[in-house]
Amino acid sequence: MSRYPKMFSRLEEEGSGAFVPFVMIGDPSPAMSEAVIEALIEGGADALELGVPFSDPVADGPTIQRAHVRALTGGAGLAVCLDVVKRVRERHPELPIGLLVYGNVPFAVGVEEFYAACADAGVDSVLLPDVPIREGSDFSRAARAAGIDAVYIAPPSASIETLDAVASASRGYVYAVSRAGVTGTESTASTAGLARSVKRLGQEAAAPVMLGFGVSTPEHVREAINAGAAGAISGSAVVKIVEEHSDALVASGSGDEAEGFAAARRDLVAFVSRMKAATRP
């Protein structure tokens, strides 16, 4: 069973929203990305969204595109990424873990085989950012068979028909995009249309709505929750911290005890702690 309902139920009892950081598995190396993930959890992440590197990440802005390149250069293919997830899962059995994977990856592996491998690693959900809801039925079917939540994106200013389709198909949570364009902090989040989307998605008994794209400050998190979202996802701001320390991380060795990791860990823990604090009253 997915770990998301238990997480959202706990947070509702606490009167808190969810904060979910995104980071690329394998950036800047598989071992160091595992240490980065542990720092995010230490900072108070309620769940994780982890990227699998891909050669043509069309939904991502320049910051996350560079993370794809660093991870691929470091040899982080799908099997390596799932090995990292499996080790994180062993240490954190109750933490919801989602993957963000471009559609060509499961298509190349075989859709059923891909979702089965994700389930074996302890993945809770898979979001395919380049697969619109109208093309998602085969992926949803395979995900459901493997016990994986299929997550879909509710685009900004989406039609009622699209919102209803996303609400019907999404499990775990719904990814509401705060603005048009690609990921990144170059353009900030906007909650102008989010309240409308959340209301409609809620009417259709959708999974809880999380706001993403351009979420980089505690104020963005507060705005998302005030608009009715269950929480917020932040990617580029987290990846940017990893990028700032990437040279030191690569040179330092591997693991959370590696020389050079202390500064990165400090910044990651502090960032997540500030963002998580914004989810509380």
Side-chain angles (χ1 to χ4, degrees), residues 188 214-223 234 237 271 274-275 278:
T188 58
V215 175
S216 60
T217 69
E219 185 58 30
H220 293 153
V221 175
R222 283 189 286 268
E223 289 174 355
S234 179
F271 176 79
R274 289 194 302 272
M275 298 292 268

Side-chain angles (χ1 to χ4, degrees), residues 45-222:
D46 293 300
L48 298 170
E49 187 182 71
L50 304 177
V52 174
F54 183 59
S55 58
D56 189 21
V58 295
D60 290 308
T63 298
I64 296 181
Q65 285 180 5
R66 291 191 294 270
H68 283 275
V69 172
R70 289 191 298 271
L72 289 171
T73 300
L78 177 63
V80 169
C81 291
L82 292 179
D83 283 344
V84 170
V85 172
K86 187 174 292 189
R87 289 190 293 272
V88 173
R89 169 58 67 221
E90 289 171 353
R91 293 190 294 270
H92 305 280
E94 299 302 319
L95 184 74
I97 299 176
L99 289 189
L100 189 150
V101 189
Y102 280 85
N104 271 14
V105 175
F107 185 78
V109 172
V111 175
E112 290 79 11
E113 292 84 353
F114 168 78
Y115 284 103
C118 289
D120 181 65
V123 171
D124 292 288
S125 68
V126 172
L127 168 62
L128 306 172
D130 57 342
V131 175
I133 187 63
R134 65 180 180 274
E135 298 174 6
S137 58
D138 288 344
F139 296 100
S140 288
R141 190 160 40 248
R144 188 163 53 249
I148 298 289
D149 288 336
V151 177
Y152 288 95
I153 290 176
S157 304
S159 67
I160 293 298
E161 292 75 17
T162 297
L163 290 176
D164 289 353
V166 169
S168 176
S170 292
R171 300 291 182 271
Y173 68 95
V174 179
Y175 195 122
V177 176
S178 65
R179 55 168 174 76
V182 296
T183 62
T185 57
E186 294 82 3
S187 299
T188 58
S190 170
T191 57
L194 180 62
R196 164 185 168 273
S197 296
V198 170
K199 182 178 180 180
R200 181 67 192 190
L201 291 164
Q203 288 173 346
E204 295 303 309
V209 179
M210 298 288 290
L211 178 68
F213 277 45
V215 175
S216 60
T217 69
E219 185 58 30
H220 293 153
V221 175
R222 283 189 286 268

